[in-house]
Amino acid sequence: VAFKITQKKFHELGLHEQIYLASRAAIGGSGCRVISTKPPSPKTSKERCLIAAAIRNNTNLRILAALDEVRVQQLVDIAWKDVVFKGTHVIKEGDLAADYFYIV
């Protein structure tokens, strides 16, 4: 299972202004591609805690942005669940198609 957040929602939350990724050309986004989105999925309290902990404990995010509890909960709230089968590649290093923020 992977929880996803669109680049648009990431920007709406102002997170793009807090995070500077100089070496990440992939942050450019989708260009003219159409991306699929889903409404936020319901989450159990265990899933909410798991997602929030993954965000809070992510060393790279902590270095790049100061995410207060409100921002963490906003990310948890807007994420949707996708079933990802074993062996599926969800993101490739250096890929210019950075349309989602993944929590795996």
Coordinates of all heavy atoms in Angstrom, one line a residue:
V1 N 0.8 -1.2 0.0 CA 0.0 0.0 0.0 C 0.9 1.2 0.0 O 1.9 1.3 0.7 CB -0.9 0.0 1.2 CG1 -1.7 1.3 1.3 CG2 -1.9 -1.2 1.2
A2 N 0.5 2.2 -0.8 CA 1.2 3.5 -0.9 C 0.2 4.6 -0.7 O -0.9 4.5 -1.3 CB 2.0 3.6 -2.2
F3 N 0.5 5.5 0.1 CA -0.4 6.7 0.2 C 0.3 7.8 -0.7 O 1.5 8.0 -0.7 CB -0.5 7.2 1.7 CG -1.3 6.3 2.5 CD1 -0.7 5.3 3.2 CD2 -2.7 6.5 2.5 CE1 -1.5 4.4 4.0 CE2 -3.5 5.6 3.3 CZ -2.9 4.6 4.0
K4 N -0.6 8.5 -1.4 CA -0.1 9.5 -2.4 C -0.7 10.8 -2.2 O -1.8 10.9 -1.7 CB -0.4 9.0 -3.8 CG 0.2 7.7 -4.2 CD -0.4 7.1 -5.4 CE 0.0 7.7 -6.7 NZ -0.5 7.0 -7.9
I5 N 0.1 11.8 -2.5 CA -0.4 13.2 -2.4 C 0.1 13.9 -3.7 O 1.2 13.7 -4.2 CB 0.3 14.0 -1.2 CG1 -0.1 13.3 0.1 CG2 -0.1 15.4 -1.2 CD1 0.7 13.7 1.2
T6 N -0.8 14.6 -4.4 CA -0.5 15.2 -5.7 C 0.5 16.4 -5.5 O 0.5 17.0 -4.4 CB -1.7 15.7 -6.4 OG1 -2.3 16.8 -5.7 CG2 -2.7 14.6 -6.8
Q7 N 1.2 16.7 -6.5 CA 2.1 17.8 -6.5 C 1.3 19.1 -6.3 O 1.7 20.0 -5.5 CB 2.8 17.9 -7.8 CG 3.9 19.0 -7.9 CD 4.5 19.1 -9.2 OE1 3.9 19.6 -10.2 NE2 5.8 18.7 -9.3
K8 N 0.1 19.2 -6.9 CA -0.8 20.3 -6.7 C -1.1 20.6 -5.2 O -1.0 21.7 -4.7 CB -2.1 20.2 -7.5 CG -3.0 21.3 -7.4 CD -4.3 21.1 -8.2 CE -5.3 22.2 -8.0 NZ -6.6 22.0 -8.6
K9 N -1.5 19.5 -4.5 CA -1.9 19.6 -3.1 C -0.6 20.0 -2.3 O -0.7 20.7 -1.3 CB -2.5 18.3 -2.5 CG -3.9 18.1 -3.0 CD -4.8 19.1 -2.3 CE -6.3 18.8 -2.7 NZ -7.2 19.8 -2.2
F10 N 0.5 19.4 -2.7 CA 1.8 19.7 -2.0 C 2.0 21.2 -2.1 O 2.4 21.8 -1.1 CB 2.9 18.9 -2.7 CG 4.2 18.8 -1.9 CD1 4.3 17.9 -0.9 CD2 5.2 19.6 -2.2 CE1 5.5 17.8 -0.1 CE2 6.4 19.5 -1.5 CZ 6.5 18.6 -0.5
H11 N 1.8 21.8 -3.3 CA 1.9 23.2 -3.5 C 0.9 24.0 -2.7 O 1.2 25.1 -2.1 CB 1.9 23.6 -5.0 CG 3.2 23.3 -5.7 ND1 4.0 24.3 -6.0 CD2 3.8 22.2 -6.1 CE1 5.1 23.8 -6.6 NE2 4.9 22.5 -6.6
E12 N -0.4 23.5 -2.7 CA -1.4 24.3 -2.0 C -1.1 24.4 -0.5 O -1.5 25.3 0.1 CB -2.8 23.5 -2.2 CG -3.3 23.8 -3.6 CD -4.6 23.0 -3.8 OE1 -5.1 22.3 -2.9 OE2 -5.1 23.0 -5.0
L13 N -0.5 23.4 0.0 CA -0.1 23.4 1.5 C 1.1 24.3 1.7 O 1.5 24.5 2.8 CB 0.2 22.0 2.0 CG -1.1 21.1 2.1 CD1 -0.6 19.7 2.4 CD2 -2.1 21.6 3.1
G14 N 1.7 24.8 0.6 CA 2.9 25.7 0.8 C 4.2 24.9 1.0 O 5.2 25.6 1.4
L15 N 4.2 23.6 0.9 CA 5.4 22.9 1.2 C 6.5 23.1 0.2 O 7.7 23.0 0.5 CB 5.0 21.4 1.3 CG 4.1 21.1 2.5 CD1 3.6 19.6 2.4 CD2 4.7 21.4 3.8
H16 N 6.1 23.4 -1.0 CA 7.2 23.7 -2.0 C 8.0 24.9 -1.7 O 9.1 25.1 -2.1 CB 6.5 23.9 -3.4 CG 5.7 25.1 -3.5 ND1 4.5 25.2 -2.9 CD2 5.9 26.2 -4.2 CE1 4.0 26.4 -3.1 NE2 4.8 27.1 -3.9
E17 N 7.4 25.8 -0.9 CA 8.1 27.0 -0.4 C 9.1 26.7 0.7 O 10.0 27.5 1.0 CB 7.1 28.1 -0.1 CG 6.3 28.6 -1.2 CD 5.2 29.5 -0.8 OE1 4.9 29.7 0.4 OE2 4.5 30.0 -1.7
Q18 N 8.8 25.6 1.4 CA 9.6 25.3 2.6 C 10.8 24.3 2.2 O 11.7 24.2 3.0 CB 8.8 24.6 3.7 CG 7.7 25.6 4.2 CD 6.9 24.9 5.3 OE1 7.4 23.9 5.9 NE2 5.8 25.3 5.5
I19 N 10.7 23.7 1.1 CA 11.6 22.6 0.7 C 12.4 23.1 -0.5 O 11.9 23.4 -1.5 CB 10.9 21.3 0.4 CG1 10.1 20.8 1.7 CG2 11.9 20.3 0.0 CD1 9.3 19.6 1.5
Y20 N 13.7 23.1 -0.3 CA 14.6 23.4 -1.4 C 15.4 22.2 -1.9 O 16.1 21.6 -1.1 CB 15.6 24.5 -1.0 CG 16.6 24.9 -2.1 CD1 16.2 25.5 -3.3 CD2 17.9 24.5 -2.0 CE1 17.1 25.8 -4.3 CE2 18.8 24.8 -3.0 CZ 18.4 25.4 -4.1 OH 19.3 25.7 -5.1
L21 N 15.2 21.7 -3.1 CA 15.8 20.5 -3.6 C 16.7 20.9 -4.8 O 16.3 20.6 -5.9 CB 14.8 19.5 -3.9 CG 13.9 19.0 -2.8 CD1 12.7 18.2 -3.3 CD2 14.7 18.3 -1.8
A22 N 17.8 21.5 -4.6 CA 18.6 21.9 -5.7 C 19.0 20.8 -6.7 O 19.1 21.1 -7.9 CB 19.9 22.6 -5.2
S23 N 19.3 19.7 -6.2 CA 19.8 18.6 -7.1 C 18.7 17.7 -7.7 O 18.9 16.7 -8.3 CB 20.7 17.7 -6.3 OG 20.1 17.1 -5.3
R24 N 17.4 18.1 -7.5 CA 16.3 17.3 -8.0 C 15.6 17.9 -9.1 O 14.6 18.6 -9.0 CB 15.3 17.1 -6.8 CG 15.7 16.3 -5.6 CD 15.9 14.9 -5.9 NE 14.7 14.3 -6.6 CZ 13.6 13.9 -6.0 NH1 13.5 13.9 -4.7 NH2 12.6 13.4 -6.7
A25 N 16.1 17.6 -10.3 CA 15.4 18.1 -11.6 C 14.0 17.6 -11.6 O 13.1 18.2 -12.3 CB 16.2 17.7 -12.8
A26 N 13.7 16.5 -11.0 CA 12.4 15.9 -11.1 C 11.3 16.7 -10.4 O 10.1 16.5 -10.7 CB 12.4 14.5 -10.4
I27 N 11.7 17.7 -9.6 CA 10.7 18.5 -9.0 C 9.9 19.4 -10.0 O 8.9 19.9 -9.7 CB 11.3 19.4 -7.9 CG1 12.0 18.5 -6.8 CG2 10.3 20.3 -7.2 CD1 11.0 17.5 -6.2
G28 N 10.4 19.5 -11.2 CA 9.7 20.2 -12.2 C 8.3 19.9 -12.5 O 7.5 20.7 -12.8
G29 N 8.0 18.6 -12.3 CA 6.6 18.2 -12.4 C 6.2 17.7 -13.7 O 6.9 17.3 -14.6
S30 N 4.9 17.7 -13.9 CA 4.2 16.9 -15.0 C 4.2 17.6 -16.4 O 4.0 17.0 -17.3 CB 2.8 16.6 -14.6 OG 2.1 17.8 -14.5
G31 N 4.4 18.9 -16.4 CA 4.4 19.6 -17.7 C 2.9 19.5 -18.3 O 2.0 19.9 -17.7
C32 N 2.8 18.8 -19.4 CA 1.5 18.7 -20.1 C 0.8 17.4 -19.8 O -0.3 17.2 -20.3 CB 1.7 18.9 -21.6 SG 2.3 20.6 -22.0
R33 N 1.4 16.5 -19.1 CA 0.8 15.2 -18.8 C -0.5 15.4 -17.9 O -0.5 16.3 -17.1 CB 1.7 14.3 -18.0 CG 2.7 13.6 -18.9 CD 3.5 12.5 -18.1 NE 3.7 12.8 -16.7 CZ 4.7 13.5 -16.3 NH1 5.6 14.1 -17.1 NH2 4.9 13.7 -15.0
V34 N -1.4 14.5 -18.1 CA -2.6 14.4 -17.2 C -2.3 13.4 -16.1 O -1.9 12.3 -16.4 CB -3.8 14.0 -18.0 CG1 -5.0 13.8 -17.1 CG2 -4.1 15.0 -19.2
I35 N -2.4 13.8 -14.9 CA -2.2 12.9 -13.8 C -3.5 12.5 -13.2 O -4.5 13.3 -13.2 CB -1.3 13.6 -12.7 CG1 -1.9 14.8 -12.1 CG2 0.1 13.8 -13.3 CD1 -1.1 15.3 -10.9
S36 N -3.5 11.3 -12.6 CA -4.8 10.9 -12.0 C -4.7 11.2 -10.5 O -3.7 11.2 -9.9 CB -4.9 9.4 -12.2 OG -3.9 8.7 -11.5
T37 N -5.9 11.6 -10.0 CA -6.0 11.9 -8.6 C -7.2 11.2 -8.0 O -8.1 10.8 -8.8 CB -6.2 13.4 -8.3 OG1 -7.4 13.9 -8.9 CG2 -5.0 14.2 -8.8
K38 N -7.2 11.0 -6.8 CA -8.4 10.4 -6.1 C -8.7 11.2 -4.9 O -7.8 11.9 -4.4 CB -8.0 9.0 -5.7 CG -7.7 8.0 -6.8 CD -7.4 6.6 -6.3 CE -7.0 5.7 -7.4 NZ -6.6 4.4 -7.0
P39 N -9.9 11.1 -4.4 CA -10.2 11.8 -3.2 C -9.5 11.2 -2.0 O -9.1 10.0 -2.1 CB -11.7 11.7 -3.0 CG -12.2 10.6 -4.0 CD -11.1 10.4 -5.0
P40 N -9.2 12.0 -0.9 CA -8.6 11.4 0.2 C -9.3 10.1 0.7 O -10.5 10.1 0.7 CB -8.7 12.5 1.3 CG -8.8 13.8 0.5 CD -9.6 13.4 -0.7
S41 N -8.5 9.1 1.0 CA -9.1 7.9 1.5 C -9.3 7.9 3.0 O -8.5 8.5 3.7 CB -8.3 6.7 1.0 OG -7.0 6.8 1.6
P42 N -10.3 7.2 3.5 CA -10.5 7.1 4.9 C -9.3 6.3 5.5 O -8.7 5.4 4.8 CB -11.8 6.3 5.1 CG -12.3 5.9 3.7 CD -11.3 6.5 2.7
K43 N -8.9 6.6 6.7 CA -7.7 6.0 7.3 C -8.1 5.6 8.7 O -8.8 6.3 9.4 CB -6.5 7.0 7.3 CG -6.1 7.4 5.9 CD -5.3 8.7 6.0 CE -5.2 9.3 4.6 NZ -6.4 10.1 4.2
T44 N -7.6 4.5 9.1 CA -7.8 4.0 10.5 C -6.9 4.9 11.3 O -5.9 5.5 10.8 CB -7.4 2.6 10.7 OG1 -6.0 2.4 10.4 CG2 -8.3 1.7 9.8
S45 N -7.1 4.9 12.6 CA -6.2 5.7 13.5 C -4.8 5.1 13.4 O -3.8 5.9 13.5 CB -6.7 5.7 14.9 OG -6.8 4.4 15.4
K46 N -4.7 3.8 13.2 CA -3.3 3.2 13.1 C -2.6 3.7 11.8 O -1.5 4.0 11.9 CB -3.5 1.7 13.1 CG -2.2 0.9 13.1 CD -2.4 -0.6 13.1 CE -1.0 -1.3 13.1 NZ -1.2 -2.8 13.2
E47 N -3.4 3.8 10.7 CA -2.8 4.3 9.5 C -2.4 5.7 9.6 O -1.3 6.1 9.1 CB -3.8 4.1 8.3 CG -4.0 2.7 7.9 CD -5.1 2.5 6.8 OE1 -6.1 3.3 6.9 OE2 -4.9 1.6 6.0
R48 N -3.3 6.5 10.3 CA -3.0 7.9 10.5 C -1.7 8.1 11.3 O -0.8 8.9 10.9 CB -4.1 8.7 11.2 CG -5.4 8.8 10.3 CD -6.4 9.6 11.0 NE -6.0 11.0 11.2 CZ -6.0 11.9 10.2 NH1 -6.5 11.6 9.0 NH2 -5.6 13.2 10.4
C49 N -1.5 7.3 12.3 CA -0.3 7.3 13.1 C 0.9 6.9 12.3 O 2.0 7.5 12.4 CB -0.4 6.5 14.4 SG -1.6 7.1 15.6
L50 N 0.8 5.8 11.5 CA 1.9 5.3 10.7 C 2.3 6.4 9.7 O 3.5 6.6 9.5 CB 1.4 4.1 10.0 CG 2.4 3.4 9.1 CD1 3.5 2.7 9.9 CD2 1.8 2.5 8.1
I51 N 1.4 7.0 9.0 CA 1.7 8.0 8.0 C 2.4 9.2 8.6 O 3.4 9.7 8.2 CB 0.4 8.5 7.2 CG1 -0.1 7.3 6.4 CG2 0.7 9.6 6.3 CD1 -1.5 7.5 5.9
A52 N 1.8 9.7 9.7 CA 2.4 10.9 10.4 C 3.8 10.6 10.9 O 4.7 11.4 10.8 CB 1.4 11.3 11.6
A53 N 4.0 9.4 11.5 CA 5.3 9.0 12.0 C 6.3 8.9 10.8 O 7.4 9.4 10.9 CB 5.2 7.7 12.7
A54 N 5.9 8.4 9.7 CA 6.7 8.3 8.5 C 7.2 9.7 8.0 O 8.3 9.9 7.7 CB 6.0 7.6 7.4
I55 N 6.2 10.6 8.1 CA 6.5 12.0 7.7 C 7.5 12.7 8.7 O 8.5 13.2 8.3 CB 5.2 12.8 7.5 CG1 4.4 12.3 6.3 CG2 5.6 14.3 7.3 CD1 3.0 12.8 6.2
R56 N 7.1 12.5 10.0 CA 7.9 13.2 11.0 C 9.3 12.6 11.1 O 10.3 13.3 11.4 CB 7.3 13.0 12.4 CG 6.2 13.9 12.7 CD 5.7 13.8 14.1 NE 4.3 13.9 14.2 CZ 3.5 12.8 14.3 NH1 3.9 11.6 14.5 NH2 2.2 13.0 14.3
N57 N 9.5 11.3 10.8 CA 10.8 10.6 11.0 C 11.6 10.5 9.8 O 12.7 10.0 9.8 CB 10.5 9.2 11.6 CG 9.9 9.2 12.9 OD1 10.2 10.1 13.7 ND2 9.1 8.2 13.2
N58 N 11.1 11.1 8.7 CA 11.9 11.1 7.4 C 13.0 12.1 7.5 O 12.8 13.4 7.6 CB 10.9 11.5 6.3 CG 11.6 11.4 4.9 OD1 12.6 12.1 4.7 ND2 11.1 10.5 4.1
T59 N 14.2 11.6 7.6 CA 15.4 12.5 7.8 C 15.5 13.6 6.7 O 15.8 14.7 7.0 CB 16.7 11.6 7.8 OG1 16.6 10.7 8.8 CG2 17.9 12.5 8.1
N60 N 15.3 13.2 5.5 CA 15.4 14.2 4.4 C 14.3 15.3 4.5 O 14.7 16.4 4.3 CB 15.2 13.5 3.0 CG 16.4 12.5 2.7 OD1 17.5 12.8 3.1 ND2 16.1 11.4 2.1
L61 N 13.1 14.9 4.9 CA 12.1 16.0 5.1 C 12.5 16.9 6.2 O 12.3 18.1 6.2 CB 10.7 15.4 5.3 CG 10.0 14.9 4.1 CD1 8.7 14.2 4.5 CD2 9.8 16.0 3.1
R62 N 13.0 16.3 7.3 CA 13.3 17.1 8.5 C 14.5 18.1 8.2 O 14.5 19.2 8.7 CB 13.8 16.2 9.7 CG 12.6 15.6 10.4 CD 13.0 15.1 11.8 NE 14.4 14.6 11.9 CZ 14.7 13.3 11.9 NH1 13.7 12.4 11.8 NH2 15.9 12.9 12.0
I63 N 15.4 17.7 7.3 CA 16.5 18.6 6.9 C 15.9 19.7 6.0 O 16.3 20.8 6.1 CB 17.6 17.8 6.2 CG1 18.3 16.9 7.2 CG2 18.5 18.7 5.4 CD1 19.2 15.9 6.5
L64 N 15.0 19.3 5.1 CA 14.5 20.2 4.1 C 13.4 21.2 4.5 O 13.2 22.3 4.0 CB 14.0 19.4 2.9 CG 15.1 18.6 2.2 CD1 14.5 17.7 1.2 CD2 16.1 19.5 1.5
A65 N 12.6 20.8 5.5 CA 11.4 21.6 5.9 C 11.1 21.4 7.3 O 11.2 20.3 7.9 CB 10.2 21.2 5.0
A66 N 10.6 22.5 7.9 CA 10.1 22.4 9.3 C 8.6 22.2 9.2 O 7.8 23.1 8.9 CB 10.4 23.7 10.0
L67 N 8.2 20.9 9.4 CA 6.8 20.6 9.3 C 6.2 20.5 10.7 O 6.5 19.6 11.5 CB 6.6 19.2 8.6 CG 7.1 19.1 7.1 CD1 6.9 17.7 6.6 CD2 6.3 20.1 6.3
D68 N 5.4 21.5 11.0 CA 4.7 21.5 12.3 C 3.6 20.4 12.3 O 3.3 19.9 11.2 CB 4.2 22.9 12.7 CG 3.2 23.4 11.7 OD1 2.6 22.7 10.9 OD2 2.9 24.6 11.8
E69 N 3.0 20.2 13.4 CA 2.0 19.2 13.5 C 0.8 19.5 12.6 O 0.2 18.5 12.0 CB 1.5 19.0 15.0 CG 0.7 17.8 15.2 CD 1.4 16.5 14.8 OE1 2.7 16.4 14.8 OE2 0.7 15.5 14.4
V70 N 0.4 20.7 12.4 CA -0.7 21.1 11.5 C -0.4 20.6 10.1 O -1.2 20.0 9.4 CB -1.0 22.6 11.6 CG1 -2.0 23.0 10.5 CG2 -1.5 23.0 12.9
R71 N 0.8 20.9 9.6 CA 1.2 20.5 8.2 C 1.2 18.9 8.1 O 0.8 18.4 7.1 CB 2.6 21.0 7.9 CG 2.6 22.5 7.7 CD 2.1 22.9 6.3 NE 2.4 24.3 6.1 CZ 1.6 25.1 5.5 NH1 0.4 24.7 5.1 NH2 1.9 26.3 5.3
V72 N 1.8 18.3 9.1 CA 1.8 16.8 9.1 C 0.4 16.3 9.0 O 0.1 15.4 8.2 CB 2.5 16.3 10.3 CG1 2.3 14.7 10.4 CG2 4.0 16.6 10.3
Q73 N -0.5 16.8 9.8 CA -1.9 16.3 9.8 C -2.6 16.6 8.4 O -3.4 15.9 7.9 CB -2.7 16.8 10.9 CG -2.3 16.2 12.3 CD -2.3 14.7 12.3 OE1 -3.2 14.1 11.8 NE2 -1.2 14.1 12.8
Q74 N -2.3 17.8 7.8 CA -2.8 18.1 6.5 C -2.4 17.1 5.5 O -3.2 16.7 4.6 CB -2.4 19.5 6.1 CG -3.1 20.6 6.9 CD -2.6 22.0 6.5 OE1 -1.4 22.2 6.2 NE2 -3.4 23.0 6.6
L75 N -1.1 16.7 5.5 CA -0.6 15.7 4.6 C -1.3 14.4 4.8 O -1.7 13.7 3.9 CB 0.9 15.5 4.7 CG 1.7 16.7 4.2 CD1 3.2 16.5 4.6 CD2 1.6 16.7 2.7
V76 N -1.5 14.0 6.1 CA -2.2 12.8 6.4 C -3.6 12.8 5.8 O -4.1 11.9 5.2 CB -2.2 12.5 7.9 CG1 -3.1 11.3 8.2 CG2 -0.8 12.2 8.4
D77 N -4.3 14.0 6.1 CA -5.7 14.1 5.7 C -5.9 14.0 4.2 O -6.9 13.4 3.7 CB -6.2 15.5 6.1 CG -6.4 15.6 7.6 OD1 -6.4 14.6 8.3 OD2 -6.5 16.8 8.1
I78 N -5.0 14.6 3.4 CA -5.3 14.6 1.9 C -4.8 13.4 1.1 O -5.1 13.2 0.0 CB -4.7 15.9 1.3 CG1 -3.2 16.0 1.4 CG2 -5.4 17.1 1.8 CD1 -2.6 17.1 0.6
A79 N -4.0 12.6 1.8 CA -3.4 11.4 1.1 C -4.5 10.4 0.8 O -5.5 10.2 1.5 CB -2.4 10.7 2.0
W80 N -4.3 9.7 -0.4 CA -5.2 8.6 -0.7 C -4.4 7.3 -0.8 O -3.2 7.3 -1.1 CB -6.0 8.9 -2.0 CG -5.2 8.8 -3.2 CD1 -4.9 7.7 -4.0 CD2 -4.6 9.9 -3.9 NE1 -4.2 8.1 -5.1 CE2 -4.0 9.4 -5.1 CE3 -4.6 11.3 -3.7 CZ2 -3.3 10.3 -6.0 CZ3 -3.9 12.1 -4.6 CH2 -3.3 11.6 -5.7
K81 N -5.1 6.2 -0.6 CA -4.4 4.9 -0.6 C -4.5 4.3 -2.0 O -5.6 4.3 -2.6 CB -5.1 4.0 0.4 CG -4.5 2.7 0.6 CD -5.2 1.7 1.5 CE -5.4 2.3 2.9 NZ -6.0 1.3 3.8
D82 N -3.4 3.7 -2.5 CA -3.3 2.9 -3.7 C -2.7 1.6 -3.3 O -1.8 1.5 -2.6 CB -2.4 3.6 -4.7 CG -3.2 4.4 -5.7 OD1 -4.4 4.4 -5.7 OD2 -2.5 5.2 -6.5
V83 N -3.3 0.5 -3.9 CA -2.7 -0.8 -3.7 C -1.6 -0.9 -4.7 O -1.8 -0.7 -5.9 CB -3.8 -1.9 -3.9 CG1 -3.2 -3.3 -3.9 CG2 -4.9 -1.8 -2.9
V84 N -0.5 -1.3 -4.2 CA 0.7 -1.5 -5.1 C 1.2 -2.9 -5.0 O 1.5 -3.4 -3.9 CB 1.8 -0.5 -4.7 CG1 3.0 -0.7 -5.6 CG2 1.3 1.0 -4.7
F85 N 1.2 -3.6 -6.1 CA 1.6 -5.0 -6.1 C 3.1 -5.1 -6.0 O 3.9 -4.3 -6.5 CB 1.0 -5.7 -7.3 CG -0.5 -5.7 -7.3 CD1 -1.2 -4.8 -8.1 CD2 -1.2 -6.6 -6.5 CE1 -2.6 -4.8 -8.1 CE2 -2.6 -6.6 -6.5 CZ -3.3 -5.7 -7.3
K86 N 3.5 -6.2 -5.4 CA 5.0 -6.5 -5.3 C 5.6 -6.5 -6.6 O 5.1 -7.0 -7.6 CB 5.1 -7.9 -4.7 CG 6.6 -8.3 -4.4 CD 6.7 -9.6 -3.7 CE 8.1 -10.0 -3.4 NZ 8.2 -11.3 -2.7
G87 N 6.8 -5.8 -6.7 CA 7.5 -5.7 -7.9 C 7.2 -4.4 -8.7 O 7.8 -4.1 -9.7
T88 N 6.1 -3.7 -8.3 CA 5.7 -2.5 -9.0 C 6.7 -1.4 -8.7 O 7.0 -1.1 -7.5 CB 4.3 -2.1 -8.7 OG1 3.4 -3.1 -9.0 CG2 3.9 -0.8 -9.4
H89 N 7.2 -0.6 -9.7 CA 8.0 0.5 -9.5 C 7.1 1.7 -9.3 O 6.4 2.1 -10.3 CB 9.0 0.7 -10.6 CG 10.0 -0.4 -10.7 ND1 11.3 -0.2 -10.9 CD2 9.9 -1.7 -10.6 CE1 12.0 -1.3 -11.0 NE2 11.1 -2.3 -10.8
V90 N 7.1 2.4 -8.2 CA 6.3 3.6 -8.0 C 7.0 4.9 -8.3 O 6.4 5.9 -8.6 CB 5.7 3.6 -6.6 CG1 4.7 2.5 -6.3 CG2 6.8 3.6 -5.5
I91 N 8.3 4.8 -8.2 CA 9.1 6.0 -8.5 C 10.5 5.6 -8.9 O 11.0 4.6 -8.4 CB 9.2 7.0 -7.3 CG1 9.7 8.4 -7.8 CG2 9.9 6.5 -6.1 CD1 9.4 9.5 -6.8
K92 N 11.1 6.3 -9.8 CA 12.5 6.0 -10.3 C 13.4 7.2 -10.0 O 13.0 8.3 -10.3 CB 12.4 5.6 -11.8 CG 13.7 5.3 -12.4 CD 13.6 5.0 -13.9 CE 14.9 4.8 -14.5 NZ 14.8 4.7 -15.9
E93 N 14.5 6.9 -9.4 CA 15.5 8.0 -9.1 C 15.8 8.7 -10.4 O 16.1 8.1 -11.4 CB 16.7 7.4 -8.5 CG 17.7 8.5 -8.0 CD 18.9 7.9 -7.3 OE1 18.9 6.7 -7.0 OE2 19.8 8.7 -7.0
G94 N 15.7 10.0 -10.4 CA 16.0 10.9 -11.5 C 14.9 11.0 -12.5 O 15.0 11.8 -13.5
D95 N 13.8 10.4 -12.2 CA 12.6 10.5 -13.1 C 12.1 11.9 -13.1 O 11.9 12.5 -12.0 CB 11.5 9.5 -12.7 CG 10.4 9.4 -13.7 OD1 10.4 10.1 -14.7 OD2 9.5 8.5 -13.4
L96 N 11.8 12.5 -14.3 CA 11.3 13.8 -14.3 C 9.8 13.9 -14.1 O 9.2 15.0 -14.0 CB 11.6 14.5 -15.7 CG 13.1 14.6 -16.0 CD1 13.3 15.2 -17.4 CD2 13.7 15.5 -14.9
A97 N 9.1 12.8 -13.9 CA 7.7 12.7 -13.7 C 7.4 12.7 -12.2 O 7.0 11.7 -11.6 CB 7.1 11.5 -14.3
A98 N 7.7 13.8 -11.5 CA 7.5 13.8 -10.0 C 6.2 14.5 -9.7 O 6.1 15.6 -9.3 CB 8.6 14.6 -9.4
D99 N 5.1 13.7 -9.9 CA 3.8 14.3 -9.7 C 3.2 13.9 -8.4 O 2.1 14.5 -8.0 CB 2.8 13.7 -10.8 CG 3.2 14.2 -12.2 OD1 3.5 15.4 -12.3 OD2 3.2 13.4 -13.1
Y100 N 3.8 13.0 -7.6 CA 3.2 12.6 -6.4 C 4.3 12.6 -5.3 O 5.4 12.5 -5.5 CB 2.6 11.2 -6.5 CG 1.6 11.0 -7.5 CD1 1.9 10.4 -8.7 CD2 0.3 11.4 -7.3 CE1 0.9 10.2 -9.7 CE2 -0.7 11.3 -8.3 CZ -0.3 10.7 -9.5 OH -1.3 10.5 -10.5
F101 N 3.8 12.7 -4.0 CA 4.6 12.5 -2.9 C 4.2 11.2 -2.3 O 3.0 11.0 -2.0 CB 4.3 13.6 -1.9 CG 5.1 13.5 -0.6 CD1 6.4 13.9 -0.5 CD2 4.4 13.1 0.6 CE1 7.1 13.8 0.7 CE2 5.1 12.9 1.8 CZ 6.4 13.3 1.8
Y102 N 5.1 10.2 -2.2 CA 4.7 8.8 -1.8 C 5.1 8.6 -0.3 O 6.1 9.0 0.1 CB 5.5 7.8 -2.6 CG 5.0 7.8 -4.1 CD1 5.7 8.5 -5.0 CD2 4.0 6.9 -4.5 CE1 5.3 8.5 -6.3 CE2 3.6 6.9 -5.8 CZ 4.2 7.6 -6.7 OH 3.8 7.6 -8.0
I103 N 4.2 7.9 0.3 CA 4.4 7.4 1.7 C 4.2 5.9 1.6 O 3.1 5.4 1.4 CB 3.5 8.0 2.7 CG1 3.6 9.5 2.7 CG2 3.8 7.4 4.1 CD1 2.5 10.2 3.4
V104 N 5.3 5.1 1.6 CA 5.1 3.6 1.3 C 5.3 2.9 2.6 O 6.2 3.2 3.4 CB 6.2 3.2 0.3 CG1 6.1 1.7 0.0 CG2 6.0 4.0 -1.0

